[in-house]
Amino acid sequence: MSSSKTRTGDGRGRTTGSVLSGLVVAVGCVLFLGGFVWGALTYRPYTVPTDSMAPTIGVGDRVLAERVDGSEVRRGDVVVFRDAVWGDVPMIKRVVGVGGDTVACCSKDGRLTINGKPVEEPYLHATGPASPTGFSSKVPVGQLFLLGDHRNDSLDSRTHLKDADHGSVSREAVDARVDARAWPVGSMGVVERPESFAAMPGGTSQPGPVRVIVIAVVVGAVMILGGAAYGPVARWGRRRNG
């Protein structure tokens, strides 16, 4: 009688364990696949062809850029845009000025100024002046002034100062805003918003859901592997105890 009860208890335990492991795998699949779908709908991958944004983004790096409307862009954002005057190909630069700003370089200590106020730029490629050549430009309303972080090796708004828009591009030219570096592995990480722009009118933008998406995918993968491993581990345990 006792043996029968033990077997019955074992059977119920196995059934409960199987149900729980199946539930864990199901939830894991939802998180894993849902994260990928969410990411695919929210982000576009781009491969950077030049080192004009080094050291923030190196040549050959693969980045994830959130699909946004140009009206959502703020100073300090790294954006992907396409402009006919600039060659009508996708380009990646940092927004340093918006409509109404006067962007100039350099102050007495070699810094970029926006509306006469020097800006700290810790993301620049090298120490020294924020630009090897001096310039000043009034950004038209609805436009953006864009510079590379590698100022000595970047064809950006400074190159187009004599154009009709004084080196700026329309907000409508923006396709996406870079949120993270996805490849190579050693450079993976979120592209942070510079604090130096936070106190200016409009402040800085908020990062997209890239962190949440990554967490969902990783947690989902762990749950799938853990739930799938329950059966083999349980069988091994029973054989060992038997």
Side-chain angles (χ1 to χ4, degrees):
M1 190 72 176
S2 149
S3 172
S4 173
K5 288 182 179 179
T6 301
R7 285 196 298 271
T8 302
D10 273 354
R12 288 176 180 172
R14 293 174 194 173
T15 301
T16 302
S18 298
V19 170
L20 288 176
S21 67
L23 181 61
V24 168
V25 170
V27 174
C29 287
V30 170
L31 289 173
F32 186 78
L33 296 176
F36 270 109
V37 172
W38 187 9
L41 294 175
T42 306
Y43 288 96
R44 294 178 180 176
Y46 291 91
T47 300
V48 181
T50 71
D51 67 348
S52 68
M53 280 301 296
T56 305
I57 304 169
V59 59
D61 284 3
R62 199 159 180 81
V63 299
L64 297 178
E66 182 185 9
R67 296 174 171 91
V68 296
D69 187 82
S71 62
E72 301 176 46
V73 173
R74 301 289 182 267
R75 300 179 191 87
D77 287 344
V78 177
V79 297
V80 179
F81 66 98
R82 185 191 292 264
D83 184 85
V85 177
W86 291 45
D88 203 24
V89 294
M91 303 184 75
I92 297 180
K93 303 293 179 188
R94 187 183 297 277
V95 177
V96 297
V98 298
D101 286 344
T102 296
V103 183
C105 198
C106 298
S107 64
K108 291 182 179 179
D109 57 358
R111 287 188 288 175
L112 183 79
T113 65
I114 299 177
N115 302 324
K117 297 179 180 179
V119 178
E120 292 289 344
E121 297 186 281
Y123 45 76
L124 291 183
H125 181 267
T127 57
S131 174
T133 57
F135 66 90
S136 179
S137 178
K138 177 80 170 180
V139 185
V141 175
Q143 302 283 111
L144 302 169
F145 198 84
L146 303 152
L147 297 178
D149 288 355
H150 192 341
R151 300 283 162 79
N152 293 331
D153 192 21
S154 176
L155 298 177
D156 46 39
S157 287
R158 296 168 298 171
T159 310
H160 298 277
L161 288 173
K162 294 183 179 180
D163 295 347
D165 290 324
H166 309 290
S168 64
V169 301
S170 170
R171 285 182 176 272
E172 296 178 358
V174 174
D175 291 327
R177 179 172 52 210
V178 176
D179 255 3
R181 297 175 297 273
W183 188 263
V185 174
S187 68
M188 290 175 64
V190 174
V191 176
E192 301 293 347
R193 274 53 171 175
E195 293 182 3
S196 51
F197 295 97
M200 295 183 180
T204 53
S205 64
Q206 295 299 314
V210 63
R211 286 190 176 96
V212 178
I213 291 172
V214 170
I215 290 172
V217 170
V218 171
V219 171
V222 171
M223 292 179 72
I224 291 170
L225 293 174
Y230 168 80
V233 170
R235 286 193 295 271
W236 176 81
R238 285 195 298 271
R239 284 198 300 269
R240 186 177 181 183
N241 295 330

